[in-house]
Amino acid sequence: MNVEASTDQDLANQPSTNQEPPAHKLDKYLDAGYDYEEPHRGDIRTGEVLEVNDRGVVVDIGLKREGFVPAEDLTRLDEKTRSEVQVGKEVSVFVLRPWDKEGHPILSIHQACLHEDWIQAQEMMKQGELYEGEITSFNRGGLIVPFGKIRGFVPASQVVGMPRRLSAEERRRRMDGMVGERIGLKIIEVDRRRRRLIFSQRRALRAWQELQREQLIKELSKGEVRHGKVTDITGFGAFVDLGGADGLIHISELSWRRVEDPREVVKVGQELDVYVLNVDRERKRIALSLKKLEPDPWDLVDEHYHEGQLVEGKVTRVLDFGAFVQLDIGVEGLLHTSEMIGTPELSPSDIVHSGDKLLVKIVRIESRRRRIALSARQVRKSEWERWVAEQQATQEEEEEAVGAEAKEETVAQETEASADTEAKKDPPPPSEAVTSVEAEGGEDVSAETTVDTEAEEKEAPRPEAATSEPSDEDAAAADAEKSTTGATVLSEAEALSVDISSEAASVQ
């Protein structure tokens, strides 16, 4: 008993460990134990989907009560985003109202997506990044390009190839043709309060072309065949747009034949297939070829030619040691100076010139080494004379054909000019005049004309048959009338002669 009493007394004298802490310490514990913040309109929260039903979606965003997303909000989402809203999944929501009548926050997944798009657009504009978008529609002012869930706009003044002087109809036609295209853009204005997201294609053009060029050069590989469009022609070749980057077809790669001017082979705006010869990724250059897509004429040399054969060729180059002559299938042979017709003192340029046509004989063929040796000395005189006669006959026929065509064209022009002159001189027939009046005045006079004609036919006496012979009295009357007419004409002539004589006398 004494021991228990002393123990109880000792415990009573000890300070109690269950005493409540001061008020300020309690607030500290509450702050540490709960992370609670009142929701406000415009907040973006992340929560877990608790339930999905016909009325909407219930989401736990860490508040006293669960938030609610109306079903109407889900209809504004695309299929992919809507399919991701499932029980147990996390979603971002936008606080539309902190609470409704029952105290539940009203949320929006659609507005949260828009908010993220606005933030991304703001960041891209700040960094000057490019955006590739698809034109979905247009209006009077420009093009519509979606940016996520935001409806972006490209003013017509910021569209490449849309000058201001275009008529409204032509501008509408061009914008309609652009629907469905993907273009490079730069964001130039972001105003969420006014819901304005403005793009510019003009400002993005250079950067976009460079990006497309880098991407194309990265994808291209040697030996590919690509489709392109000729954009420019120079003295050394042609440039072809491959869809973002231009490649060069050197003049030597345009054809197996010797080409003096690239315009002989291609034209600006022409679409064609090209062979990729080389891709220099460091220097960003693309070498193309057109002749690689055609059969190599040297593979056909053994089939077309043989030694001793007479062939006609065209001089393409004249050098100190001879001249190169192009044959009909496109290969070139060498006519050495020792095989030319002329004295040794003359140089090759004194004997032949570029563009001359020659008759030569094949003296040697080395198709593997791509060499053909030609000779003009070994052509017999009779063969030469026969060839010259054929050339002259052909030239005469061509000149006659050209002359005949020119003559036919001249005759056609003269006939047309004569017809136009006659048409201007002759007045239109009465029927045409009536038709013209109807067209201009709009009055229908055909009925009146028909009635008048019928009346005249009824009133006019019916003429006698043309086959009946005139009577004696009629013949006599006709002779008298002729004689009277003759006398009248004679008297008028005499009077005129007297007047002229009197005028001459007065002048003298």
Side-chain angles (χ1 to χ4, degrees):
M1 293 291 295
N2 294 333
V3 175
E4 292 177 0
S6 61
T7 304
D8 293 339
Q9 186 176 0
D10 292 337
L11 291 173
N13 293 331
Q14 292 180 0
S16 176
T17 58
N18 295 327
Q19 291 180 356
E20 294 183 1
H24 66 278
K25 293 184 178 181
L26 182 61
D27 294 338
K28 180 180 179 181
Y29 294 150
L30 290 174
D31 293 340
Y34 297 91
D35 185 12
Y36 178 79
E37 183 181 353
E38 288 288 340
H40 299 281
R41 174 177 171 76
D43 290 348
I44 301 294
R45 299 290 184 96
T46 301
E48 181 182 351
V49 177
L50 300 179
E51 182 183 355
V52 180
N53 52 44
D54 296 337
R55 294 177 59 246
V57 180
V58 179
V59 182
D60 180 11
I61 56 174
L63 301 179
K64 294 180 180 179
R65 294 195 177 187
E66 293 81 5
F68 181 71
V69 180
E72 292 79 4
D73 188 76
L74 299 179
T75 60
R76 304 178 67 182
L77 303 176
D78 55 61
E79 294 184 2
K80 180 180 179 181
T81 306
R82 192 163 48 245
S83 64
E84 294 174 354
V85 180
Q86 300 176 4
V87 176
K89 294 290 185 70
E90 286 191 352
V91 293
S92 295
V93 292
F94 179 91
V95 179
L96 293 175
R97 284 187 289 167
W99 51 78
D100 60 2
K101 295 179 180 180
E102 299 178 357
H104 295 282
I106 304 301
L107 312 174
S108 171
I109 299 176
H110 175 70
Q111 289 294 331
C113 294
L114 286 178
H115 178 77
E116 294 177 357
D117 292 338
W118 282 113
I119 293 176
Q120 184 181 359
Q122 186 73 39
E123 187 64 24
M124 290 184 69
M125 184 180 71
K126 183 178 179 181
Q127 300 295 333
E129 298 180 14
L130 293 176
Y131 171 71
E132 181 182 1
E134 180 179 350
I135 302 171
T136 57
S137 61
F138 67 95
N139 56 31
R140 184 176 60 181
L143 306 172
I144 306 301
V145 179
F147 182 87
K149 305 295 186 299
I150 307 174
R151 189 169 180 261
F153 180 67
V154 188
S157 60
Q158 297 296 325
V159 178
V160 176
M162 198 76 63
R164 295 183 179 181
R165 63 178 179 275
L166 288 179
S167 62
E169 183 63 28
E170 177 64 17
R171 181 183 297 178
R172 179 182 179 84
R173 186 185 65 80
R174 291 197 183 186
M175 290 193 294
D176 184 41
M178 296 179 69
V179 173
E181 292 184 9
R182 299 189 68 85
I183 58 176
L185 301 166
K186 261 193 176 182
I187 302 173
I188 59 176
E189 182 181 348
V190 178
D191 191 338
R192 182 177 178 183
R193 183 178 61 82
R194 300 173 60 191
R195 303 181 64 81
R196 285 169 58 90
L197 179 61
I198 309 300
F199 294 108
S200 172
Q201 186 188 18
R202 290 184 181 275
R203 297 190 187 182
L205 182 60
R206 288 188 179 180
W208 177 253
Q209 288 176 342
E210 185 63 25
L211 182 64
Q212 291 291 97
R213 183 181 182 86
E214 291 179 357
Q215 184 176 355
L216 181 62
I217 291 177
K218 190 176 181 180
E219 295 174 354
L220 277 179
S221 59
K222 183 179 178 180
E224 280 189 74
V225 176
R226 290 284 186 126
H227 189 76
K229 185 176 181 179
V230 179
T231 57
D232 190 20
I233 298 177
T234 64
F236 54 84
F239 288 94
V240 180
D241 181 14
L242 301 178
D246 285 354
L248 173 65
I249 308 178
H250 193 264
I251 189 171
S252 61
E253 293 294 333
L254 286 170
S255 174
W256 290 104
R257 298 175 178 269
R258 180 167 295 279
V259 178
E260 299 295 335
D261 186 354
R263 293 171 182 82
E264 300 173 0
V265 183
V266 294
K267 297 179 180 179
V268 174
Q270 179 181 349
E271 294 188 3
L272 40 73
D273 292 331
V274 291
Y275 179 89
V276 180
L277 277 179
N278 188 35
V279 181
D280 189 342
R281 292 181 171 82
E282 293 182 359
R283 302 172 66 187
K284 297 181 180 180
R285 293 184 178 181
I286 305 171
L288 306 174
S289 174
L290 202 57
K291 72 179 185 182
K292 288 291 185 182
L293 300 179
E294 301 174 356
D296 187 350
W298 282 100
D299 296 337
L300 308 175
V301 166
D302 293 332
E303 299 177 6
H304 282 72
Y305 306 122
H306 57 83
E307 295 182 2
Q309 180 181 352
L310 289 174
V311 291
E312 180 184 313
K314 181 180 179 182
V315 178
T316 57
R317 289 179 294 168
V318 181
L319 304 175
D320 294 337
F321 54 86
F324 285 94
V325 180
Q326 182 173 281
L327 307 183
D328 56 351
I329 65 171
V331 297
E332 289 184 344
L334 175 62
L335 177 62
H336 195 266
T337 182
S338 60
E339 294 295 335
M340 290 183 177
I341 300 175
T343 60
E345 293 81 9
L346 297 176
S347 65
S349 58
D350 295 330
I351 302 173
V352 295
H353 305 86
S354 295
D356 290 349
K357 287 186 178 180
L358 301 177
L359 180 66
V360 293
K361 180 175 287 187
I362 299 176
V363 295
R364 188 172 65 257
I365 297 176
E366 299 179 28
S367 57
R368 291 186 178 181
R369 300 178 64 188
R370 295 176 176 261
R371 292 181 180 181
I372 297 178
L374 306 174
S375 174
R377 284 183 176 276
Q378 298 186 28
V379 178
R380 297 178 182 176
K381 182 178 180 181
S382 59
E383 296 171 338
W384 181 268
E385 292 176 348
R386 183 169 58 252
W387 177 77
V388 171
E390 292 175 356
Q391 292 293 313
Q392 291 177 350
T394 303
Q395 184 176 358
E396 290 176 358
E397 291 177 359
E398 291 177 354
E399 291 177 353
E400 290 178 359
V402 172
E405 291 179 359
K407 186 176 181 180
E408 290 178 0
E409 185 177 355
T410 303
V411 171
Q413 291 177 354
E414 292 178 352
T415 304
E416 185 178 355
S418 177
D420 292 342
T421 305
E422 294 296 332
K424 291 179 181 179
K425 289 182 178 180
D426 297 339
S431 59
E432 295 181 0
V434 172
T435 306
S436 176
V437 171
E438 291 179 359
E440 294 179 2
E443 298 178 358
D444 189 3
V445 297
S446 58
E448 297 179 2
T449 305
T450 305
V451 172
D452 293 343
T453 305
E454 293 177 354
E456 291 177 0
E457 290 178 355
K458 291 180 180 179
E459 293 177 359
R462 181 173 298 176
E464 296 181 358
T467 56
S468 61
E469 297 180 358
S471 62
D472 295 338
E473 297 177 355
D474 294 338
D479 292 340
E481 183 178 357
K482 289 180 180 179
S483 61
T484 304
T485 304
T488 304
V489 172
L490 180 60
S491 61
E492 290 178 355
E494 291 175 353
L496 181 60
S497 174
V498 171
D499 293 339
I500 293 173
S501 300
S502 60
E503 288 181 2
S506 61
V507 170
Q508 293 176 358

